[in-house]
Amino acid sequence: MLRSGALRLCAPGVLRGPRRSAAPPTRESRPPPRSFASEVIRVDLSLPNPSWSKDMRLLFDQFMKKTEDGSWKRLPSYKYVSPQRTEVKTFFPDGKPVKEDHMPQAQLFPRSLEEGLGFEYAMFHNHVENRTVCIFQGGPYLQGASGFLHGGAIATMMDSTLGVCALTAGGVAMTANLNINFRRPIPLCSVVVINSQLDKVEGRKLFVSCNVQSVDGKTLHSKATSLFVKLNPKEV
Amino acid sequence: MPKHICSSPSAGWGLGPAKGPKHLWVLCRTSPALHLQRQTAAESRVTERDRGLYCIGRTKVHPESAPLLCCFLKSPPAVLPAQPQSSAMLKRGFQVAGRLSQHRVLPGVPRVLPRLNLTSAFGSSTDSLVSRFCLEKTGLKDYAVPNASWCPDMLSLYHELQEKTKTDGWVKLPSFKSNRDHIQGLKLPFGLSVASGERDWRIFTRCVQGEGQGYEYVIFFHPSKKKSICLFQPGPYLEGAPGSWIQTAAFDHLGHPKGIFHEDTDFPTDASDTGGLGQSLHRFAHGGSLAAMMDETFSKTAYLAGEGLFTVSLNIRFKNLIPVGSLAVLNVDVEKIEDQKLYMSCIAQSRDQQTVYAKCSGVFFQLPLEKESPQ
């Protein structure tokens, strides 16, 4: 799937210019009205791209089928998280790299690596059961012990998935505790499924847990429990 | 008293049947890389077990001299670099055992083989692991060196610790693009190694190569104290979700955050408005990036302190967010080594220790690497 010009700063190796977008032109000229937690619509990266393996695509299709009856919903995911309506193009008109001082947006960490090299994932949420499922393919730049996914990389994905689960359940919250038990190492470039659910809510505390399984469901790679705390606007 | 007694236990012992000549079964671990010669001073057999070689030697001793023999064999033979010396050491051990049978020592020795203490029963000692890890002139680029993106705090603390590498026994660890480069000549055991696509791999904490964009870090390790200090500066690629901005944004009467989220604000086009790298925008690092940095520091510390290889668990308590571009100092200690697991703790805080960013405890599993078979 082609993407619109999202020029990367200091892209390792190749410097790429903006690419043609498959989205309709109106989308980029007029940003949608923004709400509290919205992001400027750039490109939804939670969609299949050439780097996705067969397993990943299969899983994605399975979950997309589940969204048909309305209980499941695919969650979009963007690279740039910004409240500003100014487009990236304005700052990178000639495709030249811009100094970091002028960089407008924040990059969401799991979306900051190039296609196929880092985190490739898509999240689905079931609002009835309060569950969030993330299908994740770890790329070659996430290496830990030789040939396996770095513990920190799966920790980042678990934190993201748990965060989304907490967000959809209770609003904006931040990670307070994250407790991960690793059972089996995950081979690099393989696909795993992260199932997370909200366990309980106590006031501002959200207890969320998740497990990481292989595609066939036979291998449990790791489990995590976490505590998220809802932010209280008045205290900020 | 033999003069080779040292304190790290790597052997167990036991006694044979009460009647008849006393036989001392000596069980000691050696590095899998060593090939022991058959001992002539005593019967011995080498058994390959799950994690390393066991050399079982049997020699006639007076039962009460067993503690002395045990003490002697407690010096880990694998500290010695060359194979013949190690086997000679064990051979000598058995010879000494024979001589020791002359002496009467403490009575009341137990008759049961005690549980083998695996604390440092693995072949390689910390010193040999460190010297192998910190090879000079590898021709590989070491990323753990200062560059233009390092903030002043990080630079000054780096130089302080560099001084300590000369005087206090600290070692600066090199950091290569792939973990493969750190273990040249070695591989994961039991067919865990995965062959294909190695050239494309990059260790997660070096995934972003642009200076100052992703992880900027350097780890200093102290072999005898089994401690590490990691200087970590997260770059803009490691930023977190909007939730991490909300902590410092103000809110208007509708509960919507204002300031940077304000509808009317045109985006500032020159650096002075943002105060440099987002000072007024208060950007913070993703929680996962700190988790990864802690896991990485644990990983290197565990490997050097006791051949720890895989993470078993991580328990992170986040306290405060780390601003992008600022320094976080991670102090890691090895609490204990038990049951083939290394237990470590880490505290990430600001340089002046006034702000604690997170506390973490981690457990790593010990698994020695195997020598790669020559191709």
Side-chain angles (χ1 to χ4, degrees):
Chain A
M1 178 164 166
L2 295 174
R3 300 182 183 181
S4 67
L7 183 68
R8 302 186 48 79
L9 296 176
C10 304
V14 180
L15 185 69
R16 289 195 244 154
R19 286 189 268 178
R20 288 186 61 82
S21 169
T26 49
R27 210 193 204 194
E28 288 184 19
S29 54
R30 268 232 312 193
R34 288 179 288 121
S35 64
F36 178 80
S38 75
E39 300 132 347
V40 171
I41 293 180
R42 307 247 356 107
V43 178
D44 185 353
L45 296 170
S46 285
L47 291 165
N49 66 56
S51 72
W52 284 27
S53 67
K54 221 168 58 168
D55 273 342
M56 186 78 174
R57 282 171 204 270
L58 221 76
L59 270 176
F60 182 81
D61 291 335
Q62 274 173 22
F63 277 98
M64 285 308 283
K65 278 214 173 64
K66 290 191 190 181
T67 61
E68 282 163 13
D69 66 355
S71 58
W72 284 90
K73 201 177 111 174
R74 186 187 69 84
L75 301 175
S77 162
Y78 309 101
K79 173 176 169 174
Y80 289 101
V81 178
S82 162
Q84 305 302 329
R85 51 194 171 86
T86 321
E87 298 290 328
V88 176
K89 286 204 300 205
T90 318
F91 291 90
F92 312 129
D94 307 317
K96 287 189 203 135
V98 178
K99 273 191 243 173
E100 59 188 72
D101 282 350
H102 296 275
M103 188 179 71
Q105 291 99 336
Q107 292 183 149
L108 190 60
F109 176 37
R111 289 291 182 203
S112 62
L113 293 168
E114 286 185 32
E115 185 180 295
L117 294 174
F119 300 91
E120 288 295 334
Y121 63 95
M123 294 204 202
F124 296 87
H125 177 71
N126 184 327
H127 55 261
V128 171
E129 297 169 36
N130 243 333
R131 292 205 295 135
T132 302
V133 174
C134 172
I135 55 177
F136 167 54
Q137 178 184 298
Y141 282 17
L142 307 185
Q143 181 214 55
S146 194
F148 294 99
L149 192 67
H150 197 282
I154 193 67
T156 303
M157 276 320 302
M158 285 166 126
D159 182 42
S160 300
T161 311
L162 292 164
V164 163
C165 194
L167 186 83
T168 48
V172 180
M174 297 197 54
T175 326
N177 285 3
L178 181 59
N179 194 334
I180 309 176
N181 286 307
F182 298 89
R183 299 283 165 90
R184 304 193 86 85
I186 302 171
L188 206 53
C189 304
S190 69
V191 182
V192 290
V193 181
I194 309 173
N195 297 291
S196 75
Q197 63 274 334
L198 182 69
D199 292 331
K200 68 175 172 186
V201 180
E202 268 177 26
R204 281 170 57 198
K205 293 190 202 170
L206 297 154
F207 294 87
V208 207
S209 65
C210 74
N211 60 41
V212 181
Q213 290 178 329
S214 58
V215 176
D216 56 10
K218 288 184 187 161
T219 317
L220 178 65
H221 288 291
S222 50
K223 288 173 82 159
T225 55
S226 69
L227 170 65
F228 278 74
V229 176
K230 280 196 262 193
L231 295 175
N232 190 350
K234 290 182 191 147
E235 287 178 5
V236 172
Chain B
M1 200 80 149
K3 51 184 175 175
H4 301 286
I5 291 172
C6 83
S7 59
S8 56
S10 64
W13 51 273
L15 292 180
K19 290 182 184 173
K22 298 282 181 262
H23 287 100
L24 177 75
W25 287 92
V26 175
L27 193 72
C28 71
R29 291 189 89 113
T30 64
S31 163
L34 294 176
H35 302 286
L36 297 171
Q37 305 298 319
R38 219 168 154 74
Q39 305 304 312
T40 55
E43 284 178 42
S44 70
R45 66 175 184 273
V46 172
T47 328
E48 189 161 26
R49 292 271 200 98
D50 290 334
R51 295 179 185 85
L53 293 176
Y54 288 85
C55 172
I56 302 177
R58 188 176 71 171
T59 184
K60 284 188 188 176
V61 289
H62 190 284
E64 289 161 1
S65 71
L68 274 181
L69 174 63
C70 179
C71 284
F72 178 84
L73 286 167
K74 277 180 179 178
S75 59
V79 171
L80 306 171
Q83 294 176 17
Q85 286 181 24
S86 315
S87 53
M89 179 112 163
L90 279 165
K91 183 174 170 180
R92 186 150 180 272
F94 292 124
Q95 286 169 338
V96 168
R99 282 202 291 279
L100 284 177
S101 63
Q102 309 298 321
H103 303 280
R104 298 183 69 87
V105 273
L106 303 163
V109 287
R111 292 171 183 277
V112 180
L113 190 72
R115 200 167 151 274
L116 186 64
N117 186 347
L118 296 170
T119 303
S120 57
F122 281 83
S124 307
S125 72
T126 299
D127 287 325
S128 67
L129 284 164
V130 171
S131 58
R132 184 168 209 151
F133 194 86
C134 299
L135 290 170
E136 290 175 6
K137 296 184 189 164
T138 53
L140 294 162
K141 178 168 175 180
D142 180 0
Y143 287 91
V145 291
N147 62 52
S149 71
W150 285 27
C151 64
D153 264 344
M154 188 155 175
L155 277 169
S156 70
L157 198 49
Y158 173 82
H159 290 300
E160 240 178 73
L161 288 163
Q162 275 288 77
E163 283 306 307
K164 290 191 180 170
T165 61
K166 299 170 194 161
T167 54
D168 284 353
W170 285 90
V171 176
K172 185 196 88 91
L173 301 184
S175 174
F176 304 128
K177 203 167 79 170
S178 166
N179 249 350
R180 195 87 203 89
D181 299 328
H182 283 291
I183 55 165
Q184 287 180 1
L186 295 170
K187 64 180 170 85
L188 296 179
F190 326 124
L192 281 173
S193 46
V194 178
S196 60
E198 280 184 32
R199 271 178 307 167
D200 292 338
W201 294 346
R202 212 179 268 185
I203 192 174
F204 181 40
T205 42
R206 292 290 173 204
C207 61
V208 181
Q209 284 193 283
E211 276 183 10
Q213 298 298 302
Y215 289 93
E216 286 295 338
Y217 68 97
V218 55
I219 305 176
F220 288 85
F221 176 66
H222 198 290
S224 50
K225 291 188 202 172
K226 299 223 192 318
K227 279 163 108 72
S228 285
I229 298 182
C230 171
L231 309 182
F232 169 45
Q233 179 183 294
Y237 276 37
L238 308 188
E239 281 187 64
S244 64
W245 289 6
I246 289 161
Q247 195 177 23
T248 52
F251 287 79
D252 65 14
H253 63 282
L254 294 170
H256 294 144
K258 48 176 202 194
I260 53 170
F261 282 74
H262 205 274
E263 288 274 346
D264 296 344
T265 311
D266 267 343
F267 192 80
T269 53
D270 87 87
S272 60
D273 282 338
T274 59
L277 201 71
Q279 277 170 25
S280 65
L281 292 178
H282 299 288
R283 293 179 177 153
F284 298 97
H286 195 285
S289 68
L290 179 61
M293 193 67 252
M294 284 171 148
D295 183 49
E296 180 56 24
T297 312
F298 277 152
S299 162
K300 296 292 181 285
T301 310
Y303 176 71
L304 295 172
E307 292 184 287
L309 203 61
F310 289 110
T311 324
V312 171
S313 71
L314 276 179
N315 187 332
I316 312 175
R317 278 93 60 205
F318 294 99
K319 311 280 178 195
N320 283 293
L321 293 166
I322 307 176
V324 162
S326 73
L327 173 69
V329 182
L330 278 65
N331 285 288
V332 170
D333 281 280
V334 177
E335 304 286 332
K336 64 178 176 184
I337 303 179
E338 197 179 80
D339 289 337
Q340 276 148 306
K341 289 192 268 223
L342 287 109
Y343 295 80
M344 290 168 287
S345 65
C346 172
I347 172 163
Q349 50 197 338
S350 57
R351 187 187 180 167
D352 57 7
Q353 303 189 347
Q354 294 300 306
T355 317
V356 174
Y357 295 122
K359 292 186 182 175
C360 179
S361 48
V363 182
F364 267 70
F365 191 70
Q366 279 181 322
L367 209 59
L369 298 169
E370 290 176 346
K371 262 218 163 113
E372 247 175 358
S373 45
Q375 296 293 324

